[in-house]
Amino acid sequence: MSDRGYRPPRALSPLREHLRETFWFAPTLTLICAVVLWLVASALDEQIVAYLKDEQAYDEIKDLVSIAEDTKTIVVTISSAMMTFIGVVFSISLVAVQMASGQLTPRVVRIFVRSRISKLTLSVFLATFVFSLLVLSSYESTVDPRRVVSVPFLQSIVTAVLVGLSLLLFIAYVSSTLRLMQVGPVVDRIARDSFHVLRRMPVGGARDGVLPAESGQIPHEGRAGVLRDVNVARLVRVARKQGVVLRLIPRLGDFVVPGTAVLAVHGGAAPARHALRYTVSVGVERTLHQDLAFGLRQLSDIALRALSSAVNDPTTAVQCLDRIVQFLAAVATLPLGVVHHRDRKGAVRLVQDVPEWADLVDLGFEEIRRCATGSPQVTRRLLAGIDDLVALAGPERQGPLLRHRALLVQAVERTVPDAAEREFALLPDRQGIG
């Protein structure tokens, strides 16, 4: 990759990603919207009644009151049943997520947490419940068209629309949850997320020129945890104002503890500590926002669990290898290594290390190769994937691939005594055993 065509990240990009990792923000925002929608609908209902009174159209007001009274039973039923419905649906869903995390890897829970359809479904369910309660408060005790102030006519219509939307989202949500329990859609989602990270990243490569002499280091303050992401836009802006180059010392995904140096300063004095607040995000778990290697880590974890003696599911491991080979094929010809983030004038302001080609190959193949010798389906798929990557990669990148191929052949020859079985296990096949 090169910096050509790269769009600098927005300052609020990490915040947006962190909110996507939560399950409270969207429902809370939707509840606020539901209250606002009720206020608007209630005001419109009052204006309709006021207009009809001005026109002396009391028969029409009486008809509206009659319609509202007929729909009151429906609204009461909705308000009483919706919370029970929400509890049952999401209890079943949590059981499904638990089964998926036990079968595949606990890291797949993040797919459920980040799922837009899950958040949208919960949000609309809660909004329907709250809106129906507010509508019940709008009913007046009097039915005299001359004394009535507001008739919840539009409010009842909006409630019916929300119920219909809830039913449609329920169907979509069940379908999405069932897909989460299937291996294929899960590994496909991980692969798509990994490619999304790859598209957003500036290009790595050799270090662009010689950095100015290191003039200081900035230690990490706060809690210990995994380096999840960095606010690139803010760090570039701080470095430009200070006239220095900042270098991120740990890689994304590294575990950092208080006092550990996280930023090195080159070419000048270190920026003030308050200017660097909220530029480095540390959490309890890695995320795919900027972490190029985390997708491979998840795929490798799923394959390793599938190859364990407790699960013994080599077909799942083959599906993971399909996506690992797909990702490595996409980066086989791209420069990796050091990423340079530039300011608007093109000056390098932030230097960041990303995994090298050998690192990604080792992450994708090393652990799977060690566990695959007893499964000819996996060894055959692994050999086919390595051969495909050797054909795609340049001569300078074939070394790690050929090393894994040689080690796999040696391991199979050492553990499989029968010559015919050994020959079968070492025959490349893109389907494993097609």
Side-chain angles (χ1 to χ4, degrees), residues 406-422:
L407 290 174
L408 177 61
V409 172
Q410 293 174 12
V412 172
E413 290 177 346
R414 188 168 54 249
T415 57
V416 181
D418 185 78
E421 291 185 1
R422 199 164 52 237

Side-chain angles (χ1 to χ4, degrees), residues 164-413:
L165 182 60
S166 298
L167 294 176
L168 293 177
L169 286 175
F170 171 68
I171 298 173
Y173 175 74
V174 171
S175 175
S176 175
T177 304
L178 290 176
R179 286 177 59 84
L180 183 62
M181 300 176 66
Q182 302 176 41
V183 177
V186 170
V187 297
D188 177 69
R189 175 64 180 272
I190 295 173
R192 286 190 288 112
D193 288 345
S194 299
F195 280 107
H196 186 57
V197 176
L198 186 63
R199 286 193 299 268
R200 291 186 306 183
M201 282 188 60
V203 181
R207 199 172 291 279
D208 188 7
V210 179
L211 287 176
E214 183 176 319
S215 53
Q217 292 185 343
I218 300 173
H220 171 61
E221 295 180 355
R223 63 175 182 172
V226 176
L227 181 61
R228 300 194 300 175
D229 54 42
V230 294
N231 194 323
V232 174
R234 181 174 294 180
L235 284 173
V236 169
R237 184 170 63 248
V238 170
R240 178 179 58 81
K241 290 181 179 179
Q242 193 72 10
V244 298
V245 178
L246 298 176
R247 177 171 57 87
L248 187 67
I249 296 176
R251 283 183 181 177
L252 291 171
D254 287 355
F255 191 88
V256 295
V257 298
T260 303
V262 290
L263 289 171
V265 184
H266 294 261
R273 291 295 304 178
H274 67 84
L276 296 173
R277 293 181 62 190
Y278 308 116
T279 56
V280 176
S281 174
V282 171
V284 296
E285 193 173 22
R286 297 169 68 176
T287 68
L288 261 172
H289 177 211
Q290 298 174 352
D291 195 343
L292 182 64
F294 188 43
L296 288 179
R297 177 71 273 163
Q298 293 180 82
L299 293 172
S300 180
D301 286 347
I302 295 174
L304 290 174
R305 180 164 296 198
L307 291 175
S308 66
S309 57
V311 178
N312 194 21
D313 183 12
T315 303
T316 293
V318 167
Q319 289 180 279
C320 294
L321 282 172
D322 292 339
R323 300 300 180 174
I324 291 173
V325 172
Q326 177 191 6
F327 182 79
L328 292 177
V331 300
T333 58
L334 302 179
L336 300 167
V338 180
V339 170
H340 301 94
H341 301 278
R342 304 173 185 272
D343 59 18
R344 296 177 181 176
K345 295 182 180 179
V348 175
R349 293 300 179 186
L350 177 64
V351 177
Q352 175 185 353
D353 287 333
V354 298
E356 300 275 1
W357 167 252
D359 299 328
L360 296 177
V361 172
D362 290 342
L363 179 58
F365 291 148
E366 178 69 27
E367 294 172 301
I368 298 176
R369 174 179 57 77
R370 290 173 179 267
C371 299
T373 53
S375 174
Q377 182 180 0
V378 180
T379 58
R380 288 158 62 100
R381 178 63 185 101
L382 188 53
L383 287 171
I386 292 176
D387 291 344
D388 290 339
L389 291 173
V390 168
L392 292 174
E396 70 283 356
R397 289 193 171 179
Q398 292 180 356
L401 297 170
L402 296 177
R403 181 179 70 87
H404 281 286
R405 195 184 199 288
L407 290 174
L408 177 61
V409 172
Q410 293 174 12
V412 172
E413 290 177 346

Side-chain angles (χ1 to χ4, degrees), residues 131-167:
F131 192 88
S132 62
L133 290 181
L134 294 173
V135 171
L136 288 177
S137 68
S138 299
Y139 283 94
E140 299 181 4
S141 58
T142 180
V143 294
D144 187 353
R146 297 180 181 274
R147 298 174 56 189
V148 70
V149 176
S150 175
V151 178
F153 175 70
L154 290 178
Q155 299 172 59
S156 301
I157 294 177
V158 174
T159 303
V161 172
L162 288 175
V163 171
L165 182 60
S166 298
L167 294 176

